[in-house]
Amino acid sequence: MSLGLTYLRIVLSRWRLVLGSIVLCTVAAWAFSALYLAQKPKFEAAARLNIVPTPEELNYATRFVRGSTFDGGSVLLGTYSEFAHTRPVVEPIVDRYVAEQAAASGMSVDRWIAANSNPPGFSPGRILSILNYGQAPSVPLREDLIQAVIEGTTIENVEGTYLVRLSVEWEDPKSAAWFANALSGAIIAHAEEASRKTGQQLATTLEARLDQKRAELAGVLKQSRDLKSGIGVVDIDRQKQSLLEARLLEQAQLTTDRATLDSARIQVAALRSQANGKLSSAQQTLEQTIAVEGPRAAGLARSVAVRTARIGQIEKQIASLGGSEDRVKALDDRATALQAEVAALTERVSFSRTENLVNGPRIQLIERATPPLVRSSPKIFFNTVFGFIAGCALAACLLLLLGPRKPRIEFEEAEVLPATAIPASPPIEALPPEPAPVRQLPADHPSPFRLPRPANGVSYTPDEIVGLTGPLNHWLAEPLAPDSRPVFVGGVGGDLDAKYLSQLLHGLLRRAGAALQIIDATQSEVHWDGPGKPFVYLGGLAGSARPELLAHLPADGHLVLAGGDAAQPDWRSRAEDAPAQGAYVVAFDR
């Protein structure tokens, strides 16, 4: 409540400044909106498009979109809608608009542009351009219209749908609706043209690749036919198989004939050996048998020679086929692979032509823009409210800078008396000045002993703390009591002795079973609100301590200081103000 009253007194002390700032900003905002912006009102017309991505587009966008906060559909909607902000889309629309306006005015395009090209006048944008770039070049009317259409076009995606709202701000409501519808149609035409060009390019590439593979296949087939014609075969595998079968048959017959020939020769030799010394009848029979078996053996010998020659010819033919087999096989395999590629490319070309028809962009203009009945800007009431808010902010800043107004001392005008009417007053003797009151500082509680520093020079060991428990508990009975009164521990000199003393008292309080709130006053503000005894580390007055804290110690708190080497150090001279109580000061051994 007191803080609010303080602010209220500050505001009331400078109420003229506050009221003037608020009224000035409010009136300025209203005047600027009503007298300047209202002379060039803006009308907004909007059209709605339904952009449904194809499965191929959606998969592509989802796969290559970057970031976890976007999805493929939103990216595609944004891509299509951004067409309306590109010059290739806007320039033909502006040219058509200029042509229609010129035709409606009964003038040529050049005359209409010349008639509507006004010299540059005063505008905030022109002044800003001069301040930034040193000049404000005049822009041709066509370029100005293109830039105005791009800047006045706003595209919004309706969240959760594939609908896009395309709005255009223009000085004329009919022109605003015309531009919104023209941009919507341009987006649809641009998407269809891009899809058609992409599909045509893909089909052309596939067809060129197919023609190349077909020509390569025809060349490989011709080489294979020429090679087969040169060696006199049609199917080398079948031809080779036939020769192998013929060779096996001839070899089997040759083996049989050789066995029969050997048998016949042995029989003829045996008969001839038996013919000598036989009777005439037996001799005649043997000669007849020899006469029969002899020619038979000779025929078998000729048959063996013929079959041997035949086998040699077959082996030559097999060797000849083996020399050309690798080349024929390579050509046939290459032809088979090319036939598979040609079939796949033929199927892909057919599928691509069908796919281009099915996966065309599905963009529909579901709501045409109509001329608005009221302007979209300026909104005089809202601008006035913003001016009021700006005035309040300006008044607050001025109050922060200037602060409360100092009270003015008014003197009452006294009646001027003649000098003769003023009675003479006795001379006033100067009184000696009264001496300033001397503040009685509270007495300190010096320790009757000196504390040894840690043996390791870093920190006290538990045994060292136990050894110092008796004298410290006797001397610091009040600060070490396990109650809720705070203990402030510091040092007169640097931070090292203050840390030694803080560690020692902390260990004693812990041994006494006291629950502590440890607060480092060198790093944060000093406040506590929980249970336990506050244990505040102040640091050394010549080190990290903040001396102003000593003037704000609570009345029930205890201040314990490490006095360094001096027995009774003058620690109050290092504090900004003397505390309300004395300190327990202990010196360390030199």
Side-chain angles (χ1 to χ4, degrees), residues 29 34 103 130 144 172 223 235 250 254 299 312 325 423 450 495 540 561:
I130 294 175
D144 191 17
D172 177 18
Q223 292 179 6
D235 189 347
E250 292 294 334
L254 177 62
E325 183 180 8
R450 288 178 174 271
D495 292 338
L561 296 176

Short mmCIF file of all heavy atoms in Angstrom, two decimals, residues 29 34 103 130 144 172 223 235 250 254 299 312 325 423 450 495 540 561:
data_model
loop_
_atom_site.label_atom_id
_atom_site.label_comp_id
_atom_site.label_asym_id
_atom_site.label_seq_id
_atom_site.Cartn_x
_atom_site.Cartn_y
_atom_site.Cartn_z
N ALA A 29 -2.05 11.22 -32.45
CA ALA A 29 -2.43 10.00 -33.16
C ALA A 29 -3.76 10.17 -33.89
O ALA A 29 -3.92 9.74 -35.04
CB ALA A 29 -2.50 8.84 -32.16
N ALA A 34 -6.78 10.91 -38.84
CA ALA A 34 -7.96 11.51 -39.46
C ALA A 34 -7.61 12.50 -40.55
O ALA A 34 -8.36 12.63 -41.54
CB ALA A 34 -8.80 12.19 -38.38
N ALA A 103 -7.57 1.62 -71.35
CA ALA A 103 -8.71 1.43 -72.25
C ALA A 103 -9.98 2.04 -71.67
O ALA A 103 -10.78 2.63 -72.40
CB ALA A 103 -8.91 -0.06 -72.53
N ILE A 130 16.05 9.70 -48.08
CA ILE A 130 17.07 10.75 -48.15
C ILE A 130 18.02 10.67 -46.95
O ILE A 130 19.23 10.79 -47.09
CB ILE A 130 16.41 12.13 -48.24
CG1 ILE A 130 15.65 12.26 -49.57
CG2 ILE A 130 17.45 13.24 -48.12
CD1 ILE A 130 14.87 13.54 -49.70
N ASP A 144 6.50 1.25 -59.59
CA ASP A 144 5.81 1.60 -58.35
C ASP A 144 4.59 0.73 -58.13
O ASP A 144 4.31 0.27 -57.02
CB ASP A 144 5.42 3.08 -58.40
CG ASP A 144 4.94 3.58 -57.03
OD1 ASP A 144 5.23 2.90 -56.03
OD2 ASP A 144 4.29 4.63 -56.98
N ASP A 172 -8.34 1.60 -54.15
CA ASP A 172 -9.66 1.49 -54.77
C ASP A 172 -10.22 0.12 -54.44
O ASP A 172 -9.54 -0.90 -54.64
CB ASP A 172 -9.53 1.66 -56.29
CG ASP A 172 -10.85 1.50 -57.00
OD1 ASP A 172 -11.89 1.59 -56.34
OD2 ASP A 172 -10.83 1.26 -58.23
N GLN A 223 25.54 -57.25 -84.58
CA GLN A 223 26.86 -57.86 -84.40
C GLN A 223 26.73 -59.35 -84.11
O GLN A 223 27.52 -60.17 -84.62
CB GLN A 223 27.59 -57.16 -83.26
CG GLN A 223 27.98 -55.72 -83.54
CD GLN A 223 28.67 -55.07 -82.37
OE1 GLN A 223 28.96 -55.73 -81.37
NE2 GLN A 223 28.94 -53.77 -82.47
N ASP A 235 22.39 -71.15 -83.51
CA ASP A 235 22.41 -71.22 -82.05
C ASP A 235 23.66 -71.98 -81.66
O ASP A 235 23.74 -73.20 -81.85
CB ASP A 235 21.15 -71.91 -81.54
CG ASP A 235 21.02 -71.81 -80.02
OD1 ASP A 235 22.02 -71.43 -79.37
OD2 ASP A 235 19.94 -72.10 -79.50
N GLU A 250 30.28 -91.32 -82.07
CA GLU A 250 31.36 -91.86 -82.90
C GLU A 250 32.41 -92.55 -82.04
O GLU A 250 32.95 -93.61 -82.43
CB GLU A 250 32.00 -90.74 -83.71
CG GLU A 250 31.11 -90.14 -84.78
CD GLU A 250 30.81 -91.15 -85.89
OE1 GLU A 250 31.62 -92.08 -86.10
OE2 GLU A 250 29.75 -91.02 -86.53
N LEU A 254 33.49 -96.27 -82.41
CA LEU A 254 34.90 -96.57 -82.66
C LEU A 254 35.42 -97.60 -81.67
O LEU A 254 36.17 -98.53 -82.04
CB LEU A 254 35.69 -95.28 -82.57
CG LEU A 254 37.22 -95.40 -82.73
CD1 LEU A 254 37.56 -95.96 -84.13
CD2 LEU A 254 37.90 -94.05 -82.52
N GLY A 299 37.39 -104.86 -93.30
CA GLY A 299 36.31 -103.84 -93.27
C GLY A 299 36.26 -103.11 -91.93
O GLY A 299 36.03 -101.90 -91.87
N GLY A 312 38.03 -86.68 -85.45
CA GLY A 312 38.96 -85.55 -85.59
C GLY A 312 38.27 -84.32 -86.17
O GLY A 312 38.52 -83.19 -85.74
N GLU A 325 32.75 -68.80 -79.09
CA GLU A 325 31.68 -68.90 -78.10
C GLU A 325 31.64 -67.71 -77.15
O GLU A 325 30.57 -67.16 -76.85
CB GLU A 325 31.84 -70.20 -77.31
CG GLU A 325 30.72 -70.43 -76.29
CD GLU A 325 30.91 -71.72 -75.53
OE1 GLU A 325 31.98 -72.35 -75.69
OE2 GLU A 325 30.00 -72.09 -74.77
N PRO A 423 11.54 49.85 15.61
CA PRO A 423 12.24 50.13 16.87
C PRO A 423 13.64 49.54 16.86
O PRO A 423 13.89 48.50 16.24
CB PRO A 423 11.35 49.46 17.91
CG PRO A 423 10.65 48.38 17.18
CD PRO A 423 10.44 48.90 15.79
N ARG A 450 44.47 -16.35 21.45
CA ARG A 450 44.68 -16.30 20.00
C ARG A 450 44.40 -17.68 19.39
O ARG A 450 44.73 -18.69 20.01
CB ARG A 450 46.11 -15.86 19.66
CG ARG A 450 46.39 -14.40 19.92
CD ARG A 450 47.86 -14.08 19.60
NE ARG A 450 48.13 -12.65 19.72
CZ ARG A 450 47.99 -11.79 18.71
NH1 ARG A 450 47.62 -12.24 17.52
NH2 ARG A 450 48.24 -10.50 18.89
N ASP A 495 40.17 -12.32 3.03
CA ASP A 495 39.16 -13.38 3.09
C ASP A 495 39.68 -14.66 3.74
O ASP A 495 38.87 -15.47 4.20
CB ASP A 495 38.67 -13.72 1.67
CG ASP A 495 37.87 -12.58 1.06
OD1 ASP A 495 37.36 -11.76 1.84
OD2 ASP A 495 37.78 -12.51 -0.17
N GLY A 540 36.02 -10.93 4.12
CA GLY A 540 36.93 -9.98 4.75
C GLY A 540 36.61 -8.55 4.36
O GLY A 540 36.28 -8.27 3.20
N LEU A 561 34.25 -11.63 14.20
CA LEU A 561 35.24 -11.20 13.22
C LEU A 561 36.59 -11.81 13.55
O LEU A 561 36.96 -11.95 14.72
CB LEU A 561 35.37 -9.68 13.21
CG LEU A 561 34.13 -8.88 12.77
CD1 LEU A 561 34.39 -7.39 12.91
CD2 LEU A 561 33.74 -9.24 11.34
#
